[in-house]
Amino acid sequence: MASVTSLDQDMAELRKSKYDAKSAAEAKAWIEGILGEDLGSEDLVDILKDGVILCRLVNVIVPSANLKYKTSRMPFVQMENISMFLRAAASLGLPQFDLFQTVDLYEAKDPAQVLQTLYSFSRHANKQNSTVPLLGPKLATKQDHAVKYPKQGVDIPAWNTHQYGYMGGASQGSEKIVFAKRRDIVNKP
């Protein structure tokens, strides 16, 4: 007989299954390299829980941010440190969908989202300052997709038929359907 679980339990298991120990170790090594110190053998989420390391990370990468964090065991102070990091990350250009929620880190609800934020943070920091080491793939640059025609005077189509598919013959004009006009009923001989 199959066991019955709640949707909350299923979602929590799904979020935890996306957390990859290899990616966490890579992110931890990246933070250690930036800060120049060993963070110990604890899990990355436990190390970052108070937000102090995150604030220090921002202060090293973006010195103009100058985050004023506090070291405390009080939960609201730790969550405020995490919120300062998230605001600094958003000001660096991270999209909203790449940012984790404070509870994702503080209560370890979605550690995979925390990793995603760290990877995105490194990409955006590297984009603004190329001396910041990159964690994961690099951000793509916009490319010019202009179509080059060899002959002058060639009409440029409104769309690329190879990209969007062939649209010729997609008309109802041949069906003799009349829209918004009076239709005559005609007896055909």
Side-chain angles (χ1 to χ4, degrees), residues 11 16 23 43 48 50 69 75 92 108 147 155-156 163 179:
M11 293 305 292
K16 291 203 190 270
S23 298
D43 185 45
L48 301 178
D50 64 357
Y69 59 89
L92 195 61
V147 178
D155 291 335
I156 298 173
Q163 183 176 0
F179 293 102

Side-chain angles (χ1 to χ4, degrees), residues 1-175:
M1 179 175 189
S3 67
V4 178
T5 60
S6 72
L7 182 60
D8 290 337
Q9 290 171 334
D10 291 342
M11 293 305 292
E13 287 177 21
L14 178 66
R15 285 190 298 267
K16 291 203 190 270
S17 71
K18 291 181 181 180
Y19 183 69
D20 179 22
K22 180 182 174 199
S23 298
E26 188 177 318
K28 184 177 175 183
W30 178 77
I31 293 170
E32 289 173 341
I34 299 267
L35 296 179
E37 65 183 64
D38 183 35
L39 298 178
S41 61
E42 287 183 76
D43 185 45
L44 181 65
V45 174
D46 295 332
I47 293 169
L48 301 178
K49 181 180 177 178
D50 64 357
V52 171
I53 298 291
L54 293 173
C55 291
R56 288 180 51 212
L57 186 65
V58 169
N59 286 341
V60 169
I61 292 175
V62 187
S64 62
N66 197 21
L67 298 182
K68 307 282 190 221
Y69 59 89
K70 297 176 186 173
T71 304
S72 175
R73 296 179 60 105
M74 302 291 287
F76 65 90
V77 173
Q78 293 177 348
M79 286 192 267
E80 181 59 34
N81 289 342
I82 295 169
S83 295
M84 282 192 292
F85 166 77
L86 292 172
R87 283 192 298 273
S91 69
L92 195 61
L94 268 74
Q96 190 65 35
F97 60 82
D98 272 345
L99 294 173
F100 63 85
Q101 300 294 316
T102 303
V103 294
D104 291 342
L105 174 59
Y106 189 76
E107 297 176 4
K109 289 207 177 232
D110 196 353
Q113 185 65 34
V114 174
L115 285 179
Q116 181 176 338
T117 300
L118 288 173
Y119 274 76
S120 183
F121 181 75
S122 81
R123 287 191 298 269
H124 284 82
N126 179 272
K127 183 178 178 183
Q128 289 191 356
N129 181 359
S130 61
T131 61
V132 175
L134 193 59
L135 177 64
K138 187 176 182 179
L139 279 177
T141 57
K142 292 188 178 184
Q143 298 176 355
D144 183 23
H145 293 298
V147 178
K148 308 276 192 263
Y149 286 96
K151 298 179 186 174
Q152 293 294 333
V154 175
D155 291 335
I156 298 173
W159 57 83
N160 182 343
T161 57
H162 297 290
Q163 183 176 0
Y164 295 107
Y166 178 69
M167 294 177 59
S171 160
Q172 293 179 343
S174 63
E175 301 297 321

